[in-house]
Amino acid sequence: MSKKIFVVTASPRKRGNSTLLAESFVAGAVAAGNSVSVFDAAKTPITGCTACNMCWKQHMPCVCDDDFNKFAQSVIDADILVIATPVYWGTYPAQ
């Protein structure tokens, strides 16, 4: 059965290892008959959470009007969420 897969990449380096890994995953998932969309979070203006607790209270995921609101619904609609990010010093990069 075909799945709706949403891939979020977050490598700050152009053609970084995480991006290359995600591209391989996407190629395999598409070859297997799945629907795949990709969002590059590292190259997209998204502000950090301000802990205002206003999530979804103004008919959008976040009151900060940035690109997070453009991809949040894709995360909700996906059957599978894949996050491909580098690991620096034991955690993912802040950006």
Side-chain angles (χ1 to χ4, degrees), residues 17-32:
N17 294 332
S18 299
T19 302
L20 296 175
L21 218 80
E23 288 172 358
S24 272
F25 173 84
V26 168
V30 169

Side-chain angles (χ1 to χ4, degrees), residues 27-75:
V30 169
N34 296 291
S35 167
V36 182
S37 55
V38 179
F39 180 82
D40 187 350
K43 313 261 184 315
T44 307
I46 298 175
T47 58
C49 179
T50 61
C52 69
N53 295 319
M54 293 297 293
C55 311
W56 294 102
K57 292 185 178 159
Q58 294 186 1
H59 307 292
M60 59 184 175
C62 183
V63 295
C64 297
D65 192 20
D66 60 20
D67 285 354
F68 175 77
N69 291 323
K70 293 179 184 175
F71 90 93
Q73 192 61 48
S74 297
V75 172

